[in-house]
Amino acid sequence: MWGRVRKAGDKVAHALRTEPKAGGGGRPHNLFEAAASYVTACAEDDQDRAEEAAGWVSPEALSFGVNELACRAVIALARERGRSPETVARELLGLPTG
């Protein structure tokens, strides 16, 4: 049993591992920096910058960060608009809200 727990922990640690920042030195990028840069680059249609940000962390970590950013953004917009998060999410995706 402990072997499975250790193996699962190793997978999580590997998924959250980050790469050093470009330009040497300094601390590595964290998954939230990578997610913010990646989403911003995608919104601005900057493929080179999106690819760079995607390389800062593992694909699993980037996915987690993008998901967390999406959740926080929907919650913030819902509060701002006085609507439910589900309604805001559906509106953003162009889906029927009814």
Side-chain angles (χ1 to χ4, degrees):
M1 179 176 140
W2 291 113
R4 281 190 260 165
V5 171
R6 190 176 318 115
K7 187 175 181 181
D10 288 343
K11 285 183 180 181
V12 170
H14 176 72
L16 298 177
R17 191 165 290 128
T18 59
E19 299 297 323
K21 285 187 176 180
R27 64 180 177 74
H29 294 281
N30 75 36
L31 65 103
F32 297 116
E33 289 174 324
S37 293
Y38 178 81
V39 169
T40 302
C42 289
E44 295 173 349
D45 200 26
D46 186 340
Q47 187 62 35
D48 292 336
R49 204 169 52 148
E51 289 176 11
E52 178 186 351
W56 293 346
V57 295
S58 72
E60 295 87 0
L62 182 62
S63 177
F64 176 81
V66 169
N67 182 64
E68 185 65 23
L69 177 60
C71 290
R72 291 180 188 197
V74 167
I75 290 168
L77 284 172
R79 286 180 182 156
E80 183 179 290
R81 296 177 182 182
R83 302 182 140 215
S84 74
E86 181 178 5
T87 299
V88 170
R90 295 183 69 81
E91 288 173 351
L92 289 171
L93 292 171
L95 300 172
T97 58

